[in-house]
Amino acid sequence: MFMLPLKILTLLLFFCLTFPHISSSTSTSSGGDDATVCIIGSGIGGSSVAHFLRQYSTNHHPKILIFERHAIVGGRMATVTIGGDAFEAGASILHPKNYHASNYTDLLNLTGKIPSSSESSISLGIWDGNGFVVKTLNANSNWGIVNKIVSFFNGIYLFMRYGFSLVKMEGFVDETVNKFLKYYEGVETRPVFESVEEMLKWAGLFNLTGKSLKEELVDGVKLAPLLIKELVTVITRINYGQSANISGLAGAVSLAGSGGGLWAVEGGNWQMAAGLINISDVELHLHEEIDSISYLGAYYELKSTKGNAYSCEVTVVATPLDELSIQFSPLVSVPMRQLQHTHATFVRGTCKSCIFWPKSCFRNSRTGGHNRGSSSSFHKHFNSQVLQ
């Protein structure tokens, strides 16, 4: 079963407004002798900025303010509760090579949750609207040897259908992941990047942003069209609600998020963001949205929708600018991007299988179109970038 990858191997790309004018200006809401850093957004991006700022600020203790327009931290790492059971509503799984997430889990004494052997089975069915074009064997045996035998025959079946294209696809994903791992190098060997483009070029990932996943797999990797049509498209549809025409980089992330060893944090992935904020000694402003950011020479002035004003030496925007209406002065050019509306529907109902498997009554479905709800359902809607 393929799972949603939300923040798995995704670059933490922040639009940072930084200037070397670290003076004595402080927040108008409260005083302080050290530099003031304002972070907009309390998701994994904003919370990570606060954490690393504390970790590397050994000679001084900056004042950190985090602004969150919602009533809870975590950003896209959200959960919903239905009938007393909590379910991930955003970034639901983590890649085994997401070392930051692994380190956060250890640092915060959180517990990692790994899918059971039955959930991590490679059993697969692909429906084309008329019937199953691919259907592998399924075994939910308590005997490990039985599951291994079934997995072996499923592997042979998939190889007979897709040939060496499966091997090529795995090689492409591994190569992309290894390039991404360069970002985990220490600050002693990793340079400081002036732009996102420079950052991507350094790791060898920039070329993937200029073509679609389909173009890269056909022209570069030489995958069989059948594999792209049936398997790759299924993965990108489930993970991002898009076709193989998604950006090459985002598509590679999507493919990586369908591999083995995926895990999550027991109780919800949002706990990483909350935990990092708690240990980073920040001043958290919930339900306060920043309306404007003005550069006044030696500092930035931030004004919120509550009518408050804040003075900050450094301002970090760690939230998608597409979803905000921040007014920048001087004007900051933000390229227009086409967004796709994605819907997540959580439905609780009564079914016969509930007699034996109560948890199977809960389903999390994402569609690229309008909500397909029912009575007694929770509906969450958000935007995802269409990377063409």
Side-chain angles (χ1 to χ4, degrees):
M1 179 178 70
F2 299 106
M3 303 175 70
L4 305 177
L6 260 106
K7 296 287 182 186
I8 321 153
L9 281 177
T10 305
L11 298 175
L12 296 178
L13 304 180
F14 311 119
F15 181 81
C16 298
L17 300 173
T18 59
F19 281 77
H21 303 285
I22 307 299
S23 62
S24 60
S25 299
T26 57
S27 169
T28 57
S29 62
S30 59
D33 297 329
D34 294 311
T36 299
V37 178
C38 293
I39 301 172
I40 303 173
S42 69
I44 192 61
S47 59
S48 293
V49 170
H51 166 67
F52 287 116
L53 187 60
R54 282 282 179 251
Q55 180 178 343
Y56 291 114
S57 299
T58 56
N59 298 325
H60 59 284
H61 190 80
K63 180 180 179 63
I64 302 175
L65 283 68
I66 294 183
F67 298 93
E68 171 56 54
R69 56 179 172 154
H70 298 298
I72 190 171
V73 303
R76 296 191 186 278
M77 297 191 303
T79 59
V80 297
T81 301
I82 304 177
D85 293 309
F87 299 89
E88 295 282 4
S92 59
I93 60 172
L94 299 161
H95 195 278
K97 290 188 177 180
N98 189 330
Y99 298 137
H100 282 324
S102 178
N103 292 337
Y104 293 162
T105 302
D106 294 337
L107 175 67
L108 301 170
N109 294 319
L110 300 174
T111 302
K113 178 177 62 176
I114 300 176
S116 65
S117 58
S118 61
E119 291 175 331
S120 60
S121 170
I122 68 167
S123 299
L124 173 69
I126 300 178
W127 179 272
D128 68 352
N130 297 312
F132 283 100
V133 294
V134 173
K135 189 175 183 180
T136 61
L137 299 175
N138 186 23
N140 291 318
S141 175
N142 293 325
W143 292 35
I145 185 64
V146 174
N147 292 326
K148 289 182 178 180
I149 292 175
V150 171
S151 178
F152 174 76
F153 280 105
N154 284 341
I156 292 178
Y157 167 69
L158 293 175
F159 180 80
M160 292 177 62
R161 185 171 185 83
Y162 301 120
F164 284 100
S165 283
L166 280 174
V167 179
K168 292 180 180 179
M169 184 177 74
E170 182 178 359
F172 166 70
V173 172
D174 288 343
E175 180 183 2
T176 304
V177 170
N178 289 334
K179 289 179 179 178
F180 181 87
L181 293 180
K182 288 174 63 67
Y183 296 121
Y184 289 108
E185 293 182 10
V187 293
E188 301 80 11
T189 58
R190 174 168 43 82
V192 176
F193 306 104
E194 295 292 336
S195 66
V196 173
E197 180 177 335
E198 180 183 337
M199 173 178 153
L200 292 172
K201 286 182 176 179
W202 177 77
L205 295 170
F206 182 74
N207 289 339
L208 287 175
T209 65
K211 60 182 71 175
S212 69
L213 176 63
K214 184 176 182 179
E215 290 172 335
E216 176 64 21
L217 295 181
V218 171
D219 301 330
V221 187
K222 309 294 184 183
L223 292 193
L226 183 63
L227 178 65
I228 298 175
K229 176 184 177 181
E230 293 183 351
L231 191 57
V232 173
T233 300
V234 165
I235 295 173
T236 56
R237 287 290 188 197
I238 292 177
N239 289 342
Y240 290 146
Q242 300 184 48
S243 70
N245 291 319
I246 190 174
S247 156
L249 179 58
V253 171
S254 179
L255 293 178
S258 63
L262 304 175
W263 61 285
V265 175
E266 188 73 45
N269 294 334
W270 66 272
Q271 295 173 100
M272 288 189 291
L276 292 176
I277 291 174
N278 286 336
I279 66 173
S280 297
D281 186 22
V282 307
E283 183 179 304
L284 179 61
H285 294 251
L286 292 175
H287 250 150
E288 185 161 10
E289 184 174 357
I290 297 301
D291 184 57
S292 66
I293 301 176
S294 301
Y295 178 55
L296 302 180
Y299 63 95
Y300 295 93
E301 182 181 66
L302 278 61
K303 293 184 178 180
S304 75
T305 52
K306 288 186 175 182
N308 298 324
Y310 303 88
S311 298
C312 312
E313 284 73 23
V314 177
T315 297
V316 180
V317 181
T319 189
L321 290 175
D322 309 88
E323 300 178 3
L324 303 177
S325 57
I326 297 178
Q327 301 299 313
F328 292 95
S329 178
L331 184 66
V332 173
S333 177
V334 181
M336 292 297 295
R337 298 181 294 180
Q338 182 184 2
L339 297 179
Q340 171 174 301
H341 293 275
T342 302
H343 304 264
T345 303
F346 296 78
V347 179
R348 185 185 186 189
T350 302
C351 54
K352 293 182 180 179
S353 61
C354 291
I355 298 175
F356 305 102
W357 302 287
K359 290 186 178 181
S360 68
C361 293
F362 295 91
R363 291 293 182 265
N364 172 9
S365 64
R366 288 191 176 190
T367 68
H370 294 290
N371 175 38
R372 296 179 296 179
S374 68
S375 59
S376 183
S377 68
F378 173 87
H379 172 64
K380 182 178 178 67
H381 148 247
F382 52 91
N383 292 328
S384 63
Q385 181 185 355
V386 178
L387 298 165
Q388 297 291 351

